[in-house]
Amino acid sequence: MVSDNSARSATLMTASHWGPGRAAVENGRIVNVSGHEDDPDPSPINGNIASSLNGRARVLRPAVRESWLRDGPGRAAGRRGAEPFVEVSWDRALDLIAGEVTRVRGQHGNGAIYAGSYGWSSAGRFHHAQSQLKRFLNTVGGFVASEGNYSYNAALVLMPHIVGNFRQHVKEATRWRSVARNGELVVMFGGVPLRSAQVGAGGVYRHRLRADLEACREAGVDFVSISPYRNDAAQSLQAEWLAPRPGSDTAIMLGLAHTLLVEGLHDQAFLDRYTVGFDKLRGYLLGQEDGQPKDAEWAARQSGLDAQRLRALARRMAASRTLICTAVSLQRGEHGEQPLWATVTLASMLGQIGLPGGGYGIGYGSEAHIGTMDRPVGWPSLPQGDNPVKDFIPVAMISDMLLNPGQGYDYNGEKRVFPDVRLVWWAGGNPFHHHQDLNRLREAFQQPEIIIVNELNWTATARHADIVLPVAAPQERCDFGAGTQDNALIPMPKLVDPPCEARCEYDIYCDLAARLDVLDAFSEGRSSEDWLRHMWQRMTQTALAEDIRLPEWDEFITGQKAVEFPDRAPEHVFLGDFRADPRANALPTPSGRIELYSQVIAGFDYADCPGHAAWLPPREWLGNRNDPDLLHMVSGQPATRLHSQLDNGDYSRSRKVGGREPVLINPADAQARGIADGDIVLLHNDRGRCLAGAVLTEDIRPGVVFLWTGAWYDPDLSDPQHLDRHGNPNVLTHDWRTSRLSQGPAAHSALVRLARFEGVAPDIRVFDQPDIRSADSVD
């Protein structure tokens, strides 16, 4: 049972992807959310919740784009993103959607429906946007899905060819406690940014990473951070900072590998027993293929680092118990597969894979749990059912699909064809945050016959929809959290009622399912509370198998603490079993060993992803810029929010500059352009233009600017390039792929120009509602 907190003052528990919190509720309104007392390092992102949920941008009623409501569906009917909306009743909105689902299925089949649900949405196990939408669509015949993710798509496709399942390997990452006990040196390509480790998919009860890293430092472990941004490594680690050109990490790794090879510092015995293909790699390092040895001087030319410093680092790595950490952000550039493959290659040559405190790990710091914790048992989830439609697209190819139906493309050795999608339904995500080249995405969003969006706030995605459904926030419904790698079950009681006409998505889908005569198949006769109790009962049985007795559901959901499970392997070592016996614990690769050369990938004959780690210069990077005024833009996870979630919250807005997203600029670059700290600046290239607030700092490498991701896209559509008033970097990034192998996003390979903005900066409009008109305007 969920208690009614609407008429009293209370401080109640809540939870999100960035951790547990204490919510102050007064007269049915959340007024503040602070950290939970059990969390040693609570995230300040909780400070966005109350102000965003109570903000002016909240979607309050079902709304339909004016010309679509008047004229009906049609490709490019009107102009999405530039039109007013008409608020309608729930019955009318659901009747329209049920009619469109029926029409599209009947005329084009379920292969013309795309479920673009990508995003973190709620941490709850039941009210999970992707699961809810996909379950509903599966009950009516299925949908075209997306495969992979924007964060580490290259790894998801590449790593099974050379080592094994990347998702599983993230869970099996060497624990930092093993590094503290056994390690001597940690070399971080891209750092281990604590700002990203505030979050964990599904939730995180205790933030442990900061303390674990500091314990390593206190134990005498040294850190080297190779990144254009100094603060990608916590100051408390006292890391040696090497600031290369962005996109040159593969060249650096190959240069280190060359030093190991020619100085006889590599572990040939390890290579012989645990890997295949080093003979091919050896020839490449020595320049036998192309006449260019990949030595330290060559690596220095690519990276801008000192050759002697690189040689010294290689020798130090060979002489120490060394852990190589590679941030997932490195793969989000052109040829993003290569730094991953080079990481495995370099670690293999050191011969420390499977040793306590040594080897490699990809993704440390990208989430709270990697290297700190893993769940001991499986958590329950809402079954999505089976999807009869087997077609899919790689997740970063949305614009390609909508703009080029029927066109062929390569993917992981397959020849595929883009489907002809007529209906797009988006829930729980914001493509106008995470997708590339937003002007191209705007054009792509003009193509479908209907776009449906479930949203809390009037983000750009909602503004580019035809029908917008207002949905309840996590604090406005009952659920429980459990992170994909966390060891806790966290109560998420309903704190307040949803505002105005916002509803829980499950109830929305039940009403739609009834209209389409599939209610029994979708709901199985259960209400939301019935599902929660059913899932908790399943969890109770799972826990009993671990000799853990869970409280009854009512006791748990009204409690103020999580239920924690013991950590089974606090000093786990990645690939330790494989090292101990590579035959009995063979890897799921063709050879059963680490494939430094992959015959399978070589057989695909992709020029942009050959059969071993290789240096392939990006088209856009500082190494070949033809204009000294061009700067390399890096865009990464901000400290103030999870991606774009709740950007209108007080904490996120408190760190903006002049109301815009801050952009980090080296003082030398700022001085050359007449820019002072706090100025509004214009970033631009051939793809787009945006405004941002200048923050001058020596912590960013000269020639590089850092613009955080997630500012709500706020285009001025009267501007020829649709100037973004707010500072979303994806108006500047290209929509090219990493390679034909993984078709991952390559947004980190982007050059921009920077200038002080002259004149009066335009107002930010995306934090308010769009133009909303009465139904009388079209009736």
Side-chain angles (χ1 to χ4, degrees):
M1 180 180 298
V2 180
S3 58
D4 181 5
N5 303 308
S6 61
R8 61 188 177 91
S9 297
T11 302
L12 302 164
M13 188 164 187
T14 189
S16 65
H17 290 291
W18 49 86
R22 290 287 189 190
V25 178
E26 296 180 1
N27 298 317
R29 182 183 176 94
I30 299 172
V31 297
N32 181 58
V33 179
S34 58
H36 193 276
E37 63 273 13
D38 287 350
D39 190 347
D41 190 20
S43 171
I45 296 177
N46 276 320
N48 287 326
I49 295 174
S51 45
S52 180
L53 299 193
N54 298 319
R56 298 190 305 272
R58 194 72 193 264
V59 182
L60 299 174
R61 299 173 185 85
V64 184
R65 184 166 62 94
E66 185 178 50
S67 70
W68 193 95
L69 184 62
R70 181 183 61 245
D71 303 330
R75 290 181 185 268
R79 199 69 183 163
R80 294 187 179 104
E83 287 190 48
F85 284 82
V86 177
E87 291 184 335
V88 300
S89 69
W90 269 107
D91 278 343
R92 187 170 187 187
L94 296 179
D95 286 345
L96 287 170
I97 293 172
E100 283 301 284
V101 171
T102 300
R103 179 187 67 81
V104 171
R105 291 177 64 214
Q107 293 180 4
H108 308 288
N110 283 75
I113 298 174
Y114 178 69
S117 180
Y118 175 90
W120 290 59
S121 189
S122 172
R125 300 303 300 173
F126 174 68
H127 292 290
H128 180 255
Q130 290 192 50
S131 300
Q132 295 273 349
L133 175 60
K134 292 177 180 179
R135 179 181 175 86
F136 169 72
L137 289 176
N138 282 337
T139 63
V140 294
F143 58 94
V144 174
S146 63
E147 184 169 282
N149 63 41
Y150 284 84
S151 297
Y152 44 79
N153 200 72
L156 290 172
V157 178
L158 171 73
M159 300 306 278
H161 288 290
I162 64 173
V163 187
N165 183 288
F166 179 70
R167 292 185 191 275
Q168 185 61 33
H169 286 180
V170 167
K171 294 169 65 66
E172 296 172 354
T174 293
R175 298 289 185 88
W176 288 110
R177 276 175 276 188
S178 172
V179 178
R181 188 182 296 271
N182 305 284
E184 297 173 295
L185 178 65
V186 176
V187 178
M188 304 175 289
F189 289 90
V192 178
L194 290 176
R195 64 181 182 273
S196 301
Q198 294 179 89
V199 306
V204 49
Y205 192 55
R206 301 179 192 270
H207 289 85
R208 300 174 171 89
L209 181 59
R210 185 189 304 273
D212 281 356
L213 288 172
E214 291 175 352
C216 291
R217 182 63 189 170
E218 291 169 4
V221 178
D222 290 330
F223 290 81
V224 176
S225 182
I226 302 173
S227 170
Y229 182 41
R230 187 197 308 268
N231 291 337
D232 277 338
Q235 292 183 2
S236 59
L237 300 183
Q238 303 172 40
E240 178 184 356
W241 182 35
L242 304 181
R245 293 185 183 119
S248 65
D249 301 87
T250 300
I252 295 169
M253 294 178 196
L254 293 173
L256 295 170
H258 182 276
T259 297
L260 296 178
L261 177 61
V262 299
E263 296 189 6
L265 301 175
H266 63 296
D267 189 335
Q268 189 63 51
F270 181 91
L271 294 168
D272 291 342
R273 187 178 187 200
Y274 297 98
T275 76
V276 295
F278 182 69
D279 54 333
K280 299 271 190 181
L281 198 281
R282 178 197 295 270
Y284 178 73
L285 291 175
L286 295 176
Q288 294 172 358
E289 293 185 14
D290 55 10
Q292 174 59 67
K294 310 308 179 293
D295 56 20
E297 283 77 17
W298 169 84
R301 291 194 298 272
Q302 313 311 315
S303 66
L305 300 179
D306 180 73
Q308 291 305 316
R309 202 170 182 183
L310 291 176
R311 281 199 178 89
L313 178 58
R315 294 163 185 155
R316 187 179 175 193
M317 293 169 73
S320 307
R321 180 62 60 85
T322 300
L323 177 68
I324 301 171
C325 300
T326 296
V328 294
S329 59
L330 269 59
Q331 68 192 287
R332 295 196 295 273
E334 273 202 272
H335 316 301
E337 296 84 3
Q338 301 312 310
L340 308 179
W341 211 338
T343 296
V344 178
T345 298
L346 183 58
S348 296
M349 292 180 67
L350 289 172
Q352 299 182 27
I353 293 173
L355 293 179
Y360 78 92
I362 295 169
Y364 284 110
S366 62
E367 289 193 33
H369 304 115
I370 300 174
T372 67
M373 178 60 60
D374 189 21
R375 63 182 181 184
V377 296
W379 306 136
S381 60
L382 177 69
Q384 296 180 16
D386 295 324
N387 186 357
V389 176
K390 302 309 176 187
D391 203 0
F392 68 88
I393 62 164
V395 69
M397 301 189 83
I398 299 159
S399 294
D400 302 271
M401 173 187 72
L402 296 178
L403 291 168
N404 304 293
Q407 179 177 296
Y409 66 97
D410 293 310
Y411 174 66
N412 198 17
E414 298 180 2
K415 297 287 186 181
R416 301 190 58 82
V417 175
F418 290 122
D420 187 1
V421 165
R422 307 301 180 101
L423 183 156
V424 171
W425 197 328
W426 219 282
N430 182 8
F432 283 91
H433 146 62
H434 56 245
H435 197 70
Q436 312 80 231
D437 194 348
L438 294 186
N439 281 325
R440 184 171 188 251
L441 182 66
R442 284 199 72 251
E443 192 60 33
F445 260 54
Q446 308 307 319
Q447 307 310 310
E449 295 173 359
I450 177 171
I451 298 176
I452 306 164
V453 170
N454 303 357
E455 254 295 2
L456 296 175
N457 289 305
W458 280 102
T459 63
T461 301
R463 294 166 193 253
H464 284 79
D466 299 309
I467 301 178
V468 181
L469 302 179
V471 296
Q475 293 74 25
E476 298 161 357
R477 59 200 184 197
C478 183
D479 212 329
F480 65 101
T484 55
Q485 284 188 240
D486 202 27
N487 68 327
L489 301 169
I490 311 173
M492 298 173 63
K494 177 181 176 181
L495 306 183
V496 296
D497 290 327
C500 205
E501 295 184 27
R503 301 178 64 194
C504 289
E505 284 166 287
Y506 179 75
D507 296 333
I508 296 171
Y509 294 131
C510 281
D511 281 356
L512 279 170
R515 284 168 165 79
L516 297 170
D517 296 323
V518 291
L519 177 58
D520 289 344
F522 174 74
S523 72
E524 298 183 23
R526 296 187 178 103
S527 66
S528 293
E529 185 166 335
D530 292 337
W531 271 109
L532 285 165
R533 291 180 181 276
H534 172 70
M535 292 166 65
W536 189 254
Q537 183 60 37
R538 288 163 49 201
M539 187 67 245
T540 299
Q541 297 302 314
T542 301
L544 280 176
E546 298 292 319
D547 294 325
I548 296 175
R549 290 190 173 275
L550 297 183
E552 294 296 320
W553 170 252
D554 291 330
E555 178 186 352
F556 167 77
I557 200 63
T558 58
Q560 299 297 302
K561 289 182 178 292
V563 176
E564 294 185 86
F565 288 70
D567 187 353
R568 286 177 172 174
E571 294 194 24
H572 179 77
V573 176
F574 177 50
L575 294 182
D577 291 342
F578 169 66
R579 185 184 186 99
D581 190 337
R583 290 188 177 180
N585 301 293
L587 301 179
T589 62
S591 64
R593 292 186 281 172
I594 297 170
E595 303 223 343
L596 303 184
Y597 177 86
S598 168
Q599 189 64 54
V600 173
I601 293 178
F604 296 157
D605 196 26
Y606 296 155
D608 53 9
C609 189
H612 58 71
W615 168 245
L616 303 169
R619 281 171 281 182
E620 287 194 29
W621 78 300
L622 295 176
N624 66 356
R625 62 177 173 177
N626 54 15
D627 185 335
D629 288 339
L630 289 169
L631 302 170
H632 194 119
M633 183 188 69
V634 176
S635 51
Q637 171 68 19
T640 59
R641 58 186 173 266
L642 169 57
H643 302 317
S644 66
Q645 281 190 37
L646 312 184
D647 184 35
N648 62 334
D650 284 349
Y651 180 57
S652 182
R653 297 177 74 169
S654 72
R655 300 295 181 92
K656 295 183 186 289
V657 177
R660 329 284 156 169
E661 196 64 19
V663 57
L664 307 184
I665 310 169
N666 186 277
D669 293 322
Q671 183 179 16
R673 293 162 176 80
I675 295 170
D677 195 72
D679 281 350
I680 303 302
V681 296
L682 173 68
L683 295 93
H684 62 104
N685 57 23
D686 292 341
R687 291 179 289 270
R689 295 153 31 100
C690 73
L691 301 181
V695 176
L696 275 56
T697 174
E698 297 281 359
D699 291 335
I700 195 73
R701 184 192 193 278
V704 178
V705 293
F706 199 133
L707 180 57
W708 307 109
T709 64
W712 284 0
Y713 176 51
D714 190 17
D716 178 358
L717 299 181
S718 66
D719 181 88
Q721 282 192 301
H722 301 162
L723 171 73
D724 174 45
R725 296 174 277 238
H726 192 198
N728 189 309
N730 277 327
V731 302
L732 304 162
T733 57
H734 58 70
D735 203 9
W736 307 332
R737 304 281 82 75
T738 53
S739 78
R740 287 187 287 167
L741 181 78
S742 72
Q743 296 286 2
H748 278 312
S749 301
L751 296 179
V752 302
R753 300 181 188 277
L754 178 69
R756 185 176 182 272
F757 181 75
E758 304 294 341
V760 179
D763 292 335
I764 305 299
R765 301 183 183 181
V766 73
F767 293 150
D768 294 301
Q769 292 192 348
D771 182 5
I772 296 178
R773 301 179 179 178
S774 70
D776 295 338
S777 65
V778 291
D779 287 343

